[in-house]
Amino acid sequence: MNRPAAPKANTATAPALSNRILLVSGSLLAAAAVAFAAPAAFAQSQPGGGAPLTIQAVTERPSLNLSAYGEVKTAPDMATISFGVVTEAATAAEAMSQNAARMNQVMAALRRAGIAERDVQTSGLNLSAQYDYVQNEPPRLRGYQANNRVTVIINDLDAVGTTADAVVAAGVNQIDGIGFGLKDPTSAENQARQIAVRNLQAKAALYAQALGVPLGGIRSLTEGGGYSPQPPQPMYARAEMAMDSGATPVAAGQLTVRIDITGVYDLER
């Protein structure tokens, strides 16, 4: 009597599952290898709509962080004078009235000297009580002082001395200072920039040579400094200035325009 055939063992199931596991594992390893090998960022969406996961490989490159500057000497083409009229009187109203009368004379003298109204600016107006102080006695009111100060731009340097003499003759009794500047500093600043860049390049090349590595390209460049008007310098004047036969001598000299820069250079490996 023939026995029924025994059921065949399911020997193909296990290898098929193993192959699927190996296939999935190989895919994950390949994806991870691509993510870490690529120099750029690799993004993959997260389950549940979360933010993408970004994996980025960053390689630090050696660099030089250097600074340099460029300077240009140039002759000024304008001047600024600051002066004032100070008056004292027994009452505040009288001090202001006397001051206004003398300042009107000063303004007229400026117009006669060829100074445009746009180049004249009131820089201060002050009225204050004046006291006499005696030991062991209370302060005693002496009167009031009015002070009106004006700043004037002079575009003709040859007229600086004669303008100073003219305003003193008209009633100015205080000259605070004189400063020289440039109407348009663009040309001088551009020359200083070119000098600064050449100095920076030379310094970077020197460092790279000393280190024994090739110099790469510049990564960033930052500028600082630039032209700034010269602050007024003290200029002392007396009423006798206007009595002299010649104009008050004024020397303009030279101005220094400076540009500071900072640059970052790559160093080749």
Side-chain angles (χ1 to χ4, degrees):
M1 183 176 180
N2 294 331
R3 295 180 180 178
K8 295 182 180 180
N10 190 3
T11 58
T13 302
L17 178 60
S18 175
N19 289 340
R20 286 197 298 271
I21 294 175
L22 289 175
L23 180 60
V24 173
S25 300
S27 300
L28 291 174
L29 289 174
V34 170
F36 284 101
F42 177 83
Q44 182 178 358
S45 299
Q46 293 296 300
L53 172 64
T54 302
I55 302 174
Q56 185 172 8
V58 179
T59 303
E60 287 292 337
R61 299 186 63 183
S63 62
L64 288 174
N65 192 332
L66 303 173
S67 61
Y69 68 90
E71 282 187 349
V72 171
K73 302 286 187 180
T74 185
D77 56 9
M78 60 167 287
T80 302
I81 297 181
S82 178
F83 56 78
V85 172
V86 180
T87 55
E88 288 190 13
T91 65
E94 182 63 21
M96 290 294 291
S97 176
Q98 293 181 13
N99 194 287
R102 292 174 64 175
M103 185 55 74
N104 286 333
Q105 296 177 0
V106 171
M107 293 299 182
L110 288 174
R111 290 192 294 270
R112 290 192 299 269
I115 306 299
E117 290 186 7
R118 65 176 179 273
D119 294 329
V120 180
Q121 183 180 52
T122 299
S123 54
L125 181 61
N126 179 263
L127 176 67
S128 59
Q130 303 296 300
Y131 294 90
D132 289 330
Y133 296 91
V134 180
Q135 189 175 6
N136 299 326
E137 293 184 10
R140 184 171 52 195
L141 179 65
R142 183 178 72 247
Y144 293 86
Q145 183 183 87
N147 191 339
N148 193 344
R149 317 204 74 74
V150 174
T151 300
V152 176
I153 297 175
I154 303 176
N155 293 303
D156 181 8
L157 293 185
D158 293 334
V160 174
T162 56
T163 302
D165 292 338
V167 296
V168 169
V172 166
N173 51 12
Q174 283 191 355
I175 294 183
D176 301 325
I178 181 172
F180 296 94
L182 298 172
K183 299 173 187 174
D184 185 5
T186 304
S187 177
E189 286 182 329
N190 287 341
Q191 293 179 41
R193 288 185 179 100
Q194 293 176 347
I195 295 173
V197 170
R198 289 198 295 267
N199 291 341
L200 185 67
Q201 291 276 61
K203 184 182 289 188
L206 177 63
Y207 272 96
Q209 181 182 12
L211 293 170
V213 295
L215 180 65
I218 188 166
R219 187 184 304 173
S220 66
L221 183 67
T222 305
E223 177 184 306
Y227 167 76
S228 58
Q230 183 189 55
Q233 301 298 317
M235 178 179 176
Y236 301 100
R238 302 186 310 275
E240 290 80 8
M241 289 171 56
M243 306 300 293
D244 296 338
S245 57
T248 300
V250 176
Q254 284 189 320
L255 300 176
T256 300
V257 178
R258 171 169 171 155
I259 296 291
D260 296 283
I261 61 174
T262 300
V264 179
Y265 289 83
D266 286 324
L267 291 176
E268 303 295 341
R269 294 182 181 275

